[in-house]
Amino acid sequence: MEKKIVVGNMKMNLEAMEIEDYLMEINIMDYNKQVVFCPSSLYLPYFIGRNYEVGSQNIAPYEEGAYTGEISAAQLVSMGIGCTLIGHSERREHFKETDEVVRKKTEIALKSNLKVILCIGETEDERDDDKTYKVLQRQITTALKGIAEEYHNKLIIAYEPIWAIGTGRTPTNIEIEDAISFIKTIVEELWFKDMKVIYGGSVSDENIIILEQIENIGGYLVGGASIDPVRFKKIIEVVVNQ
Ligand code: PGA
């Protein structure tokens, strides 16, 4: 069975001194390349060249040129960054990223040789209206439109119900398992077999043992709990030693 991964989405957290302490805490573990740290872009260089992978939280929707303040996929690759999150719900919500922008970024990243962790998930209203699967299907089919099959091993999908992000609430294991099966079926019908699908939304050192009972889960995208290196290491230990 393929190894699970644990991705830490550190969002816009920690200042320079805290990052120093963070690195001292995390650099003493063997991660077996199953862990991806996604710090603020500013700190990416500090994380490179160790026994874990490093990912960006975002990329520009353009390849290069006059786009003040942006970072391109090619620039990240040239710095030794291996992957990027795309389509995180916070980017969709606060920066008005549409499905089409997510598609464009996915295409640019893959063509630039950057692995993509594509984030999808429904809002609470969509869930209450029984629209979860419809939303997931739309997000997947739009993001992957025109993406060649040769990229299938460079893509991971993160199922992140928006109502579970940062709230301490998670779906039941059965709900997560069903959503993952659904996502795998959609992707398989379209293009790729054996897509790795990970779960994100209030993953913590307290619920990781329960989540680990989900059969088809490919790993986890961890937000809040990844900012505290001690909590994050507890999560990693459970997953990596499984
Ligand atoms: P959370 O965030 O673990 O704090 O819920 C997850 C994410 O936003 O990727």
Side-chain angles (χ1 to χ4, degrees):
M1 211 177 70
E2 227 195 318
K3 284 182 177 157
K4 288 182 192 166
I5 59 160
V6 184
V7 184
N9 175 12
M10 299 166 69
K11 309 193 182 182
M12 199 174 68
N13 290 300
L14 305 185
E15 295 183 5
M17 293 281 277
E18 294 165 313
I19 282 288
E20 258 181 50
D21 294 343
Y22 188 94
L23 285 163
M24 282 206 306
E25 267 302 328
I26 62 164
N27 282 341
I28 46 175
M29 242 178 106
D30 182 12
Y31 299 99
N32 205 8
K33 288 272 176 198
Q34 281 172 266
V35 179
V36 185
F37 286 91
C38 302
S40 287
S41 332
L42 189 60
Y43 305 133
L44 281 168
Y46 301 145
F47 283 76
I48 296 166
R50 317 220 184 226
N51 60 350
Y52 43 75
E53 295 225 35
V54 188
S56 174
Q57 296 173 13
N58 181 37
I59 60 163
Y62 306 101
E63 281 172 39
E64 62 172 340
Y67 300 103
T68 303
E70 291 290 315
I71 299 177
S72 74
Q75 287 175 321
L76 290 164
V77 171
S78 74
M79 285 290 288
I81 310 298
C83 73
T84 184
L85 304 179
I86 290 184
H88 190 280
S89 63
E90 286 154 15
R91 295 219 53 91
R92 293 182 194 252
E93 186 190 341
H94 303 305
F95 302 94
K96 307 290 170 248
E97 278 189 14
T98 60
D99 286 334
E100 178 50 29
V101 170
V102 171
R103 189 204 65 75
K104 200 168 169 200
K105 289 186 175 188
T106 303
E107 186 175 29
I108 291 173
L110 292 171
K111 283 190 174 157
S112 308
N113 214 15
L114 208 52
K115 276 186 242 158
V116 170
I117 300 171
L118 173 67
C119 304
I120 59 171
E122 81 285 0
T123 63
E124 184 147 39
D125 283 350
E126 287 162 345
R127 176 188 156 92
D128 291 345
D129 285 351
D130 268 339
K131 289 196 184 127
T132 298
Y133 287 5
K134 212 171 149 196
V135 170
L136 297 180
Q137 181 162 16
R138 190 202 71 227
Q139 290 175 332
I140 296 168
T141 46
T142 314
L144 299 186
K145 195 151 103 206
I147 303 291
E149 199 169 336
E150 64 184 275
Y151 294 118
H152 76 278
N153 59 358
K154 295 235 171 251
L155 189 69
I156 290 170
I157 293 185
Y159 171 53
E160 294 207 300
I162 296 169
W163 53 272
I165 295 177
T167 59
R169 293 162 57 205
T170 55
T172 63
N173 277 9
I174 292 175
E175 285 168 335
I176 296 174
E177 194 165 321
D178 286 351
I180 291 176
S181 295
F182 177 77
I183 292 165
K184 281 176 183 273
T185 311
I186 294 292
V187 176
E188 204 163 301
E189 273 170 11
L190 290 168
W191 304 272
F192 316 129
K193 273 200 168 26
D194 303 326
M195 171 71 53
K196 190 191 266 303
V197 183
I198 65 178
Y199 168 77
S202 295
V203 176
S204 73
D205 45 324
E206 278 157 24
N207 61 20
I208 189 66
I209 291 176
I210 294 168
L211 292 168
E212 272 291 88
Q213 292 162 5
I214 299 171
E215 295 237 330
N216 55 2
I217 204 160
Y220 306 90
L221 180 49
V222 186
S226 74
I227 298 160
D228 176 341
V230 177
R231 288 183 70 196
F232 195 38
K233 278 196 317 197
K234 280 191 198 156
I235 297 173
I236 294 166
E237 264 158 22
V238 171
V239 180
V240 172
N241 296 332
Q242 188 72 350

